[in-house]
Amino acid sequence: MLDSAYGFGIMVDAVAHCRDPGTYAGARVRHGRTGGAKLARARAYCFEIVERRLRAVLTDGGSLACDRAVIAAGIGSRALARAAGDRIFLESERGYHLVFSAPGFELPLQVMPADGKMANTPTNHGLRLAGQVELTTRDAAPDWRRAAILLAHARRAYPQLREKAETAEVKRWIGDLPSTANGLPVLGPASGSTDVIHAFGHGHVGLSCGPISGRMVADFFGGKSGAADYAAYAAQRFG
């Protein structure tokens, strides 16, 4: 599979990858609904807070009465955090992906060619190539030259892709990774109300750190931890 130019590699056993993030996320939604959660399709934009107690989340579909809320909206979390009393320095670290639907070979595990500084991952939809990122504003136009760099590296790494370079179906994708200045997520109660808790800003590692953050949020609302436990991740660290 790999070009013969690669003469050295390191096998890391204690890793894993998700073959279908969309299906994984959908399964978690179904699991939550089975446990009694309700799915509301609306855009949240503010909170109704009275004397530092949460009364409702305001959405474009109406007001949702509640006494607890978690801000976990990825790159969209900055505006919600501001509505809850915190100014967060959060910016988009854009990730560029390419997916070969039929690359002509199947990787048995994720491969990371060091010269291209990219991750090549087998998925249910084909071979996914990722590794180009840029720091920019959320509404900036995509720079698809970064996707072209990925493609050039992949063609050097895998001879089969050179043969299919002109005929293979390749899909481009771009995503906004919510990144903070020091790389740490934002976790813990909001300044405007301890009924609102932050849980965002995981950058590249949201899939793996999400469950840990979820446990921390549950512990806080369940009275098993206090604000001091979130000091390194607190929104107030931004001043």
Side-chain angles (χ1 to χ4, degrees):
M1 297 177 188
L2 281 170
D3 190 272
S4 58
Y6 293 95
F8 174 77
I10 299 175
M11 179 68 178
V12 181
D13 292 319
V15 295
H17 65 275
C18 182
R19 292 190 63 94
D20 195 331
T23 298
Y24 170 76
R28 294 186 67 85
V29 171
R30 290 192 297 274
H31 178 72
R33 297 180 74 175
T34 300
K38 295 182 180 179
L39 177 63
R41 299 186 182 277
R43 183 182 68 84
Y45 62 86
C46 198
F47 303 97
E48 180 184 343
I49 298 174
V50 179
E51 296 181 351
R52 298 184 59 81
R53 300 313 303 268
L54 179 65
R55 296 289 181 262
V57 175
L58 307 181
T59 80
D60 58 3
S63 176
L64 297 177
C66 61
D67 55 14
R68 297 286 192 275
V70 179
I71 299 177
I75 195 63
S77 298
R78 182 171 57 184
L80 288 170
R82 192 63 180 266
D86 291 304
R87 184 185 181 195
I88 308 296
F89 292 100
L90 185 75
E91 198 50 271
S92 171
E93 186 176 352
R94 284 180 160 183
Y96 288 80
H97 289 188
L98 292 177
V99 177
F100 278 84
S101 60
F105 61 93
E106 173 76 14
L107 290 179
L109 72 172
Q110 188 180 62
V111 176
M112 302 181 71
D115 55 339
K117 294 181 174 58
M118 60 180 182
N120 306 153
T121 307
T123 75
N124 292 344
H125 305 288
L127 176 64
R128 186 177 66 207
L129 314 173
Q132 286 290 308
V133 299
E134 62 181 350
L135 292 171
T136 184
T137 57
R138 184 183 182 186
D139 55 355
D143 184 355
W144 292 116
R145 291 176 300 178
R146 294 190 176 278
I149 292 172
L150 281 175
L151 181 58
H153 276 301
R155 290 172 65 181
R156 286 194 292 270
Y158 304 101
Q160 295 93 325
L161 294 186
R162 290 198 290 272
E163 300 169 4
K164 294 175 171 288
E166 303 301 327
T167 59
E169 179 183 355
V170 184
K171 295 182 179 180
R172 302 184 303 182
W173 179 86
I174 183 174
D176 292 288
L177 304 172
S179 298
T180 63
N182 65 353
L184 294 178
V186 184
L187 298 169
S191 295
S193 172
T194 55
D195 297 331
V196 180
I197 192 166
H198 302 299
F200 58 86
H202 297 84
H204 294 261
V205 294
L207 188 66
S208 55
C209 290
I212 301 170
S213 297
R215 172 51 58 193
M216 293 177 69
V217 169
D219 286 347
F220 181 82
F221 282 145
K224 297 180 181 179
S225 63
D229 298 301
Y230 295 84
Y233 312 104
Q236 293 75 19
R237 74 183 191 262
F238 297 99

